[in-house]
Amino acid sequence: MALPKNSNSSSTKKKVSYISVPSQIINSLSSSSLQSLLVSPKKSSRCTNRFTYRNPRIWFLTLFLVSLFGMLKLGLNVDPISLPFSRHPCSTGSFDEHHAVSHLAFASENDTQSNSSSVYPKNETLPTEGDFWKQPDGLGFKPCLGFSRQYRKDSNSILKNRWKYLLVVVAGGLNQQRNQIVDAVIIARILGASLVVPVLQVNVIWGDESEFADIFDLEHFKNVLADDVHIVSSLPSTHVMTRPVEEKRTPLHASPQWIRAHYLKRINRERVLLLRGLDSRLSNDLPSDLQKLRCKVAFQALRFSPRILELGNKLASRMLSEGQYLSLHLRMEKDVWVRTGCLPGLTPEKLAGLCPLTALEVTRLLKALEAPKDARIYWAGGEPLGGKEALEPLTKEFPHLYNKHDLALPGELEPFAKKASVMAAIDYIVCEKSDVFIPSHGGNMGHALQGQRAYAGHKKYITPNKRHMLLYFMNASLPESEFNRIVKDLHRESLGQPVLRTGRGGKDVTKHPVSECMCSDRQQQQQEQ
């Protein structure tokens, strides 16, 4: 995650038109063109005249009048250039596809519907929503975190134990930190220890010095987990002078048994245990109650702080103000290309389907999935390698493309300009509230949103099948229609449908919450009994 550049000049330029029409389109239109978009010219009587011939005696006169009318029409036909982008139903001129979408943005809903045939060239198929906005069938799965009687019984003694404490330092970007915070709660529960609010390590790349309460709602975090783990903001005075024992050798995917065998005696003896670098250190396969606790932390307890929620919800509301929208997580930042060993070309990693999608590949994917050309798209992520020019293949086909800088009013993002984690949290909120979400690459944010959207009722989440698409991307001789058919077929089972984690060892329950954290109505009734 790279720190996005805060360009006040570019955001200011787009403020008035960010919802209806991108500023690059506004700037390309003359004042007369804009006027023609806003004011529909009156229909010519030539297109509305109707003649009824009921008297056979005047057929010759009728024939004469029809011939005269035809000659007048040929001689006085309106030059389409004189009325740019006119909604005149008799106009035969064609115009740029981007301008047509801009026309739709200015017109009212009724105008758009009644004049749709005049908006697009005659040789182009009218766009239809099709199934793109259709949500997957959730199969009746709903959140259900029914803990066992033994778990609830153990909670009484664990919560009364206030003499040993777990300190945790979490590192990485926002979503890496989220994962480590989840595991810190689980480890505290396994050890029967009180958890000191995790410390967020200052990232040397982004220089973000945010603390836990700057990103997350601390009181909400404590309250939601009040029946599971005792959480304190800092060590009590009785333990301040206690030198914590530090452990740095936690192996990958450690089991609860390993945690108890290696840490329990030490924390009982020293009373304070310090852990660092918990990323992927706790096993994904835990007992049922601990898996449910994982989901409770990830989906319920870790809520963003009020000021982040407020701004994120504002930006999401601006996207929703004109209907449904799609969100993309574009991993096109320079550090991502470097870290993955990828370049925007056919490296060995690219050939293996392990690299982020380029803007051109994302565009072809969207077209194959029949995304409407006037779809409103929010893109999350940092400055792409190559700047805004790298996004041109996408903006050319889908001009209604916005990020947080486009949507924010002057000064709204300024307090968070050097807070990379806050910027990522804002992206997370707007993406979570979108009707459709597509990540161009895997990563922690994509995984977190996959689980979050599943837990919220299986909101549509399209996982690009990069490995199988690659051969078709490379085949220049493949007709576009055939490419679209193949790509659409490849993604029929990757639209956010429920995926059972049962029997899929190693899968993170916060990415696949079915069926340990979500169950059908019948399963929930059995749990309650």
Side-chain angles (χ1 to χ4, degrees):
M1 176 178 65
L3 181 62
K5 295 182 179 179
N6 187 13
S7 175
N8 293 330
S9 60
S10 61
S11 61
T12 302
K13 188 183 297 181
K14 299 180 180 180
K15 294 304 173 279
V16 175
S17 58
Y18 67 84
I19 287 298
S20 297
V21 184
S23 61
Q24 60 266 31
I25 296 180
I26 289 292
N27 293 336
S28 68
L29 299 179
S30 64
S31 59
S32 60
S33 301
L34 288 174
Q35 182 65 21
S36 69
L37 291 176
L38 293 168
V39 181
S40 175
K42 295 181 179 179
K43 296 182 180 180
S44 172
S45 60
R46 293 194 304 270
C47 295
T48 57
N49 287 341
R50 299 288 185 269
F51 296 92
T52 305
Y53 310 109
R54 298 178 179 177
N55 191 340
R57 297 179 181 179
I58 62 170
W59 64 271
F60 182 78
L61 179 60
T62 300
L63 180 60
F64 172 77
L65 292 174
V66 170
S67 301
L68 179 61
F69 176 78
M71 289 186 290
L72 289 173
K73 183 173 182 178
L74 289 174
L76 299 175
N77 194 22
V78 178
D79 183 357
I81 298 178
S82 66
L83 290 175
F85 318 130
S86 169
R87 290 183 292 177
H88 199 296
C90 293
S91 174
T92 58
S94 63
F95 49 90
D96 184 77
E97 181 176 282
H98 294 180
H99 294 156
V101 177
S102 299
H103 183 151
L104 278 177
F106 275 101
S108 66
E109 181 179 356
N110 292 334
D111 288 339
T112 302
Q113 293 173 351
S114 62
N115 296 288
S116 58
S117 60
S118 67
V119 173
Y120 292 89
K122 293 181 179 179
N123 62 348
E124 181 175 337
T125 303
L126 292 176
T128 57
E129 288 188 359
D131 294 332
F132 184 77
W133 299 115
K134 183 179 179 181
Q135 295 298 313
D137 185 353
L139 302 178
F141 283 100
K142 299 177 181 178
C144 58
L145 301 180
F147 294 96
S148 68
R149 292 181 180 177
Q150 186 61 47
Y151 179 91
R152 297 194 297 270
K153 181 180 178 181
D154 293 341
S155 295
N156 294 327
S157 58
I158 289 175
L159 295 174
K160 291 178 181 178
N161 188 343
R162 306 286 177 91
W163 57 272
K164 56 183 178 180
Y165 292 85
L166 176 64
L167 291 172
V168 174
V169 177
V170 299
L174 171 68
N175 293 287
Q176 282 178 288
Q177 293 174 342
R178 285 171 59 97
N179 293 340
Q180 294 169 58
I181 292 169
V182 171
D183 285 354
V185 174
I186 306 303
I187 294 174
R189 173 77 191 198
I190 293 172
L191 297 175
S194 297
L195 176 66
V196 179
V197 171
V199 176
L200 309 188
Q201 181 175 315
V202 177
N203 191 289
V204 295
I205 298 177
W206 302 301
D208 191 340
E209 299 181 356
S210 299
E211 297 180 357
F212 187 97
D214 296 325
I215 307 295
F216 303 105
D217 189 330
L218 178 55
E219 292 307 312
H220 178 80
F221 181 72
K222 291 180 179 179
N223 292 336
V224 170
L225 299 174
D227 294 331
D228 306 282
V229 175
H230 179 230
I231 300 174
V232 296
S233 298
S234 59
L235 280 173
S237 58
T238 54
H239 290 65
V240 170
M241 301 304 294
T242 302
R243 182 177 180 179
V245 55
E246 183 174 355
E247 177 56 62
K248 300 179 180 179
R249 295 175 297 176
T250 306
L252 291 173
H253 310 302
S255 67
Q257 293 76 16
W258 191 97
I259 296 293
R260 293 190 187 97
H262 289 79
Y263 295 158
L264 191 56
K265 288 184 178 180
R266 299 175 69 179
I267 194 172
N268 287 343
R269 181 179 67 250
E270 305 293 341
R271 299 197 300 169
V272 180
L273 175 65
L274 172 62
L275 297 180
R276 296 177 183 269
L278 287 181
D279 199 14
S280 301
R281 297 298 169 178
L282 188 60
S283 172
N284 286 328
D285 296 311
L286 301 176
S288 177
D289 285 322
L290 294 181
Q291 295 288 63
K292 288 180 170 62
L293 180 56
R294 253 183 174 155
C295 292
K296 188 174 182 179
V297 181
F299 304 138
Q300 297 181 14
L302 279 176
R303 186 172 72 184
F304 292 118
S305 65
R307 66 173 187 163
I308 293 178
L309 272 180
E310 181 182 9
L311 182 53
N313 288 334
K314 281 182 180 179
L315 301 190
S317 295
R318 291 167 192 168
M319 287 298 298
L320 286 167
S321 64
E322 294 190 9
Q324 297 162 308
Y325 73 93
L326 156 72
S327 59
L328 298 174
H329 188 208
L330 298 179
R331 302 309 312 275
M332 297 173 60
E333 303 97 328
K334 181 178 180 180
D335 66 296
V336 176
W337 292 115
V338 173
R339 185 172 65 251
T340 57
C342 300
L343 289 174
L346 295 178
T347 60
E349 292 79 10
K350 190 73 173 182
L351 292 171
L354 301 178
C355 293
L357 295 176
T358 65
L360 177 60
E361 291 164 343
V362 171
T363 303
R364 296 192 70 188
L365 173 62
L366 290 177
K367 292 177 69 176
L369 296 176
E370 298 181 352
K373 292 185 177 181
D374 62 347
R376 297 168 51 72
I377 303 176
Y378 179 88
W379 69 275
E383 182 74 14
L385 179 63
K388 291 186 177 180
E389 292 182 0
L391 298 178
E392 284 184 358
L394 185 57
T395 56
K396 183 177 179 180
E397 295 291 337
F398 298 94
H400 299 287
L401 185 69
Y402 314 95
N403 67 4
K404 52 185 169 287
H405 298 286
D406 299 317
L407 296 173
L409 299 179
E412 283 186 319
L413 290 175
E414 188 174 347
F416 313 117
K418 297 183 179 180
K419 304 285 187 180
S421 293
V422 176
M423 291 293 197
I426 292 170
D427 276 341
Y428 187 100
I429 294 169
V430 184
C431 289
E432 198 281 323
K433 292 185 176 295
S434 65
D435 298 277
V436 180
F437 174 75
I438 303 178
S440 68
H441 192 49
N444 292 298
M445 180 171 171
H447 292 169
L449 277 166
Q450 181 172 353
Q452 188 82 52
R453 293 175 72 87
Y455 198 74
H458 289 93
K459 296 169 66 178
K460 195 166 188 176
Y461 180 107
I462 301 175
T463 305
N465 192 334
K466 293 186 291 183
R467 182 182 295 273
H468 290 92
M469 282 194 299
L470 185 61
L471 292 176
Y472 304 106
F473 277 129
M474 296 172 60
N475 188 350
S477 64
L478 186 67
E480 190 72 10
S481 59
E482 182 65 8
F483 173 85
N484 292 347
R485 185 194 65 77
I486 292 171
V487 170
K488 190 172 184 179
D489 189 62
L490 284 174
H491 291 85
R492 293 190 186 280
E493 302 301 322
S494 304
L495 304 176
Q497 302 96 326
V499 176
L500 298 180
R501 206 198 78 89
T502 304
R504 296 166 64 94
K507 295 292 184 181
D508 187 352
V509 72
T510 60
K511 182 181 177 182
H512 300 287
V514 177
S515 60
E516 288 155 299
C517 300
M518 300 183 72
C519 53
S520 63
D521 293 336
R522 178 179 298 180
Q523 291 173 319
Q524 191 163 9
Q525 291 174 358
Q526 292 174 350
Q527 283 190 7
E528 292 174 352
Q529 292 174 356

Coordinates of all heavy atoms in Angstrom, one line a residue, residues 362-398:
V362 N -8.1 -5.4 -16.7 CA -9.3 -5.1 -15.9 C -10.5 -4.7 -16.8 O -11.6 -5.1 -16.7 CB -9.1 -4.0 -14.8 CG1 -10.4 -3.6 -14.2 CG2 -8.1 -4.6 -13.8
T363 N -10.1 -3.8 -17.8 CA -11.1 -3.3 -18.7 C -11.7 -4.5 -19.5 O -13.0 -4.6 -19.7 CB -10.5 -2.3 -19.7 OG1 -10.0 -1.2 -19.0 CG2 -11.6 -1.8 -20.7
R364 N -10.9 -5.4 -20.1 CA -11.4 -6.5 -20.8 C -12.2 -7.4 -20.0 O -13.2 -8.0 -20.4 CB -10.2 -7.2 -21.5 CG -9.4 -6.4 -22.5 CD -8.5 -7.3 -23.3 NE -9.2 -8.2 -24.2 CZ -8.7 -9.2 -24.9 NH1 -7.3 -9.4 -24.7 NH2 -9.4 -10.0 -25.7
L365 N -11.8 -7.6 -18.7 CA -12.6 -8.4 -17.8 C -14.0 -7.8 -17.6 O -15.0 -8.5 -17.6 CB -11.9 -8.6 -16.5 CG -12.6 -9.3 -15.3 CD1 -12.9 -10.7 -15.7 CD2 -11.8 -9.2 -14.0
L366 N -14.0 -6.5 -17.3 CA -15.3 -5.9 -17.1 C -16.2 -6.0 -18.3 O -17.4 -6.2 -18.2 CB -15.1 -4.4 -16.7 CG -14.5 -4.1 -15.3 CD1 -14.3 -2.6 -15.1 CD2 -15.3 -4.7 -14.2
K367 N -15.7 -5.8 -19.5 CA -16.5 -5.9 -20.7 C -17.0 -7.3 -20.9 O -18.2 -7.5 -21.3 CB -15.7 -5.4 -21.9 CG -15.4 -3.9 -21.9 CD -14.5 -3.5 -23.0 CE -15.2 -3.6 -24.3 NZ -14.4 -3.0 -25.5
A368 N -16.2 -8.3 -20.6 CA -16.6 -9.7 -20.8 C -17.7 -10.0 -19.8 O -18.6 -10.8 -20.1 CB -15.4 -10.6 -20.6
L369 N -17.6 -9.4 -18.6 CA -18.7 -9.7 -17.6 C -19.9 -8.8 -17.8 O -20.8 -8.9 -17.0 CB -18.1 -9.5 -16.2 CG -17.0 -10.4 -15.8 CD1 -16.4 -10.0 -14.4 CD2 -17.4 -11.9 -15.7
E370 N -19.9 -8.1 -18.9 CA -21.1 -7.2 -19.3 C -21.4 -6.1 -18.3 O -22.5 -5.8 -18.0 CB -22.3 -8.1 -19.5 CG -22.1 -9.1 -20.6 CD -23.4 -9.9 -20.8 OE1 -24.3 -9.8 -20.0 OE2 -23.4 -10.7 -21.8
A371 N -20.3 -5.5 -17.7 CA -20.5 -4.3 -16.9 C -21.0 -3.2 -17.8 O -20.5 -3.0 -18.9 CB -19.2 -3.9 -16.3
P372 N -22.1 -2.5 -17.4 CA -22.6 -1.4 -18.2 C -21.5 -0.3 -18.5 O -20.7 0.0 -17.6 CB -23.7 -0.8 -17.4 CG -24.1 -1.9 -16.4 CD -22.8 -2.7 -16.1
K373 N -21.5 0.2 -19.7 CA -20.5 1.3 -20.0 C -20.7 2.5 -19.2 O -19.7 3.3 -19.0 CB -20.6 1.6 -21.5 CG -20.2 0.4 -22.4 CD -20.2 0.9 -23.9 CE -19.7 -0.3 -24.7 NZ -19.6 0.1 -26.2
D374 N -21.9 2.7 -18.7 CA -22.1 3.9 -17.8 C -22.0 3.6 -16.3 O -22.4 4.3 -15.5 CB -23.4 4.6 -18.1 CG -24.6 3.6 -17.8 OD1 -24.4 2.4 -17.6 OD2 -25.8 4.1 -17.8
A375 N -21.4 2.4 -16.0 CA -21.3 2.0 -14.6 C -20.4 3.0 -13.9 O -19.4 3.4 -14.4 CB -20.7 0.6 -14.6
R376 N -20.8 3.3 -12.7 CA -20.0 4.2 -11.8 C -19.1 3.3 -11.0 O -19.4 2.3 -10.4 CB -20.9 4.9 -10.9 CG -21.9 5.9 -11.6 CD -23.0 6.4 -10.8 NE -22.4 7.0 -9.5 CZ -21.7 8.2 -9.5 NH1 -21.5 8.8 -10.6 NH2 -21.3 8.6 -8.3
I377 N -17.8 3.6 -11.1 CA -16.7 2.8 -10.6 C -15.9 3.6 -9.6 O -15.4 4.7 -9.9 CB -15.8 2.2 -11.7 CG1 -16.6 1.4 -12.7 CG2 -14.7 1.3 -11.1 CD1 -15.8 0.9 -13.9
Y378 N -15.7 3.0 -8.4 CA -14.8 3.5 -7.4 C -13.5 2.7 -7.4 O -13.6 1.5 -7.3 CB -15.4 3.5 -6.0 CG -14.5 4.1 -4.9 CD1 -14.5 5.4 -4.6 CD2 -13.7 3.2 -4.2 CE1 -13.6 5.9 -3.6 CE2 -12.8 3.7 -3.2 CZ -12.8 5.1 -2.9 OH -12.0 5.6 -2.0
W379 N -12.4 3.3 -7.6 CA -11.1 2.5 -7.5 C -10.3 2.9 -6.3 O -10.1 4.0 -5.9 CB -10.3 2.7 -8.8 CG -9.7 4.0 -9.1 CD1 -10.2 5.1 -9.6 CD2 -8.3 4.4 -8.7 NE1 -9.3 6.1 -9.7 CE2 -8.1 5.7 -9.2 CE3 -7.2 3.7 -8.1 CZ2 -6.9 6.4 -9.0 CZ3 -6.0 4.4 -8.0 CH2 -5.9 5.7 -8.4
A380 N -9.9 1.8 -5.6 CA -9.1 2.0 -4.3 C -7.7 1.6 -4.7 O -7.4 0.8 -5.5 CB -9.7 1.1 -3.3
G381 N -6.8 2.2 -3.9 CA -5.4 2.0 -4.1 C -4.6 3.2 -4.2 O -5.1 4.3 -4.2
G382 N -3.3 3.1 -4.2 CA -2.4 4.2 -4.3 C -2.1 4.6 -5.8 O -2.7 4.1 -6.7
E383 N -1.2 5.6 -5.9 CA -0.9 6.1 -7.2 C -0.3 5.0 -8.1 O 0.7 4.3 -7.8 CB 0.2 7.2 -7.1 CG 0.6 7.9 -8.4 CD -0.5 8.8 -9.0 OE1 -1.4 9.2 -8.2 OE2 -0.3 9.2 -10.1
P384 N -0.9 4.7 -9.3 CA -0.4 3.6 -10.1 C 0.9 3.9 -10.8 O 1.2 5.1 -11.0 CB -1.5 3.5 -11.2 CG -2.2 4.8 -11.3 CD -2.1 5.4 -9.9
L385 N 1.7 2.9 -11.0 CA 3.0 3.1 -11.7 C 2.7 3.6 -13.1 O 1.9 3.0 -13.9 CB 3.7 1.7 -11.8 CG 5.0 1.7 -12.6 CD1 6.0 2.6 -11.9 CD2 5.5 0.3 -12.7
G386 N 3.2 4.8 -13.4 CA 2.9 5.4 -14.7 C 1.9 6.5 -14.6 O 1.6 7.2 -15.6
G387 N 1.4 6.8 -13.4 CA 0.5 7.9 -13.2 C -0.9 7.6 -13.8 O -1.2 6.4 -14.0
K388 N -1.7 8.6 -14.0 CA -3.0 8.5 -14.5 C -3.1 7.9 -15.9 O -4.1 7.3 -16.3 CB -3.7 9.8 -14.4 CG -4.0 10.3 -13.0 CD -4.9 11.6 -13.0 CE -5.2 12.0 -11.5 NZ -6.0 13.2 -11.5
E389 N -2.0 8.1 -16.6 CA -1.9 7.5 -18.0 C -2.1 6.0 -18.0 O -2.6 5.4 -18.9 CB -0.7 7.9 -18.7 CG -0.5 9.4 -19.0 CD 0.7 9.7 -19.7 OE1 1.5 8.8 -20.0 OE2 1.0 10.9 -20.0
A390 N -1.6 5.4 -16.9 CA -1.7 3.9 -16.8 C -3.2 3.5 -16.7 O -3.5 2.3 -16.9 CB -1.0 3.4 -15.5
L391 N -4.1 4.4 -16.3 CA -5.5 4.1 -16.2 C -6.3 4.4 -17.5 O -7.5 4.1 -17.5 CB -6.1 4.8 -15.0 CG -5.6 4.6 -13.6 CD1 -6.2 5.5 -12.6 CD2 -5.7 3.1 -13.2
E392 N -5.7 4.9 -18.5 CA -6.4 5.3 -19.7 C -7.2 4.2 -20.4 O -8.3 4.5 -20.8 CB -5.4 6.0 -20.7 CG -5.0 7.4 -20.3 CD -4.2 8.1 -21.3 OE1 -3.8 7.4 -22.4 OE2 -3.8 9.2 -21.1
P393 N -6.7 3.0 -20.4 CA -7.5 1.9 -21.1 C -8.8 1.7 -20.3 O -9.8 1.4 -20.9 CB -6.6 0.7 -20.9 CG -5.2 1.2 -20.9 CD -5.3 2.5 -20.1
L394 N -8.8 2.0 -19.0 CA -10.0 1.8 -18.2 C -11.0 3.0 -18.4 O -12.2 2.9 -18.6 CB -9.6 1.6 -16.8 CG -10.8 1.3 -15.8 CD1 -11.5 0.0 -16.2 CD2 -10.2 1.1 -14.4
T395 N -10.4 4.2 -18.3 CA -11.2 5.4 -18.4 C -11.8 5.6 -19.8 O -12.9 6.2 -19.9 CB -10.4 6.6 -18.0 OG1 -9.3 6.7 -18.8 CG2 -10.0 6.6 -16.5
K396 N -11.1 5.1 -20.8 CA -11.7 5.2 -22.1 C -12.9 4.4 -22.3 O -13.9 4.9 -23.0 CB -10.6 4.7 -23.1 CG -11.0 4.9 -24.6 CD -9.9 4.4 -25.5 CE -10.3 4.6 -27.0 NZ -9.3 4.1 -27.9
E397 N -13.0 3.3 -21.7 CA -14.2 2.4 -21.8 C -15.2 2.7 -20.7 O -16.4 2.5 -20.9 CB -13.8 0.9 -21.8 CG -13.0 0.5 -23.0 CD -13.7 0.5 -24.3 OE1 -15.0 0.4 -24.2 OE2 -13.1 0.6 -25.3
F398 N -14.8 3.1 -19.5 CA -15.6 3.3 -18.4 C -15.3 4.7 -17.8 O -14.5 4.8 -16.8 CB -15.5 2.2 -17.3 CG -15.9 0.8 -17.8 CD1 -14.9 0.0 -18.3 CD2 -17.2 0.4 -17.8 CE1 -15.2 -1.3 -18.8 CE2 -17.5 -0.8 -18.3 CZ -16.6 -1.7 -18.8

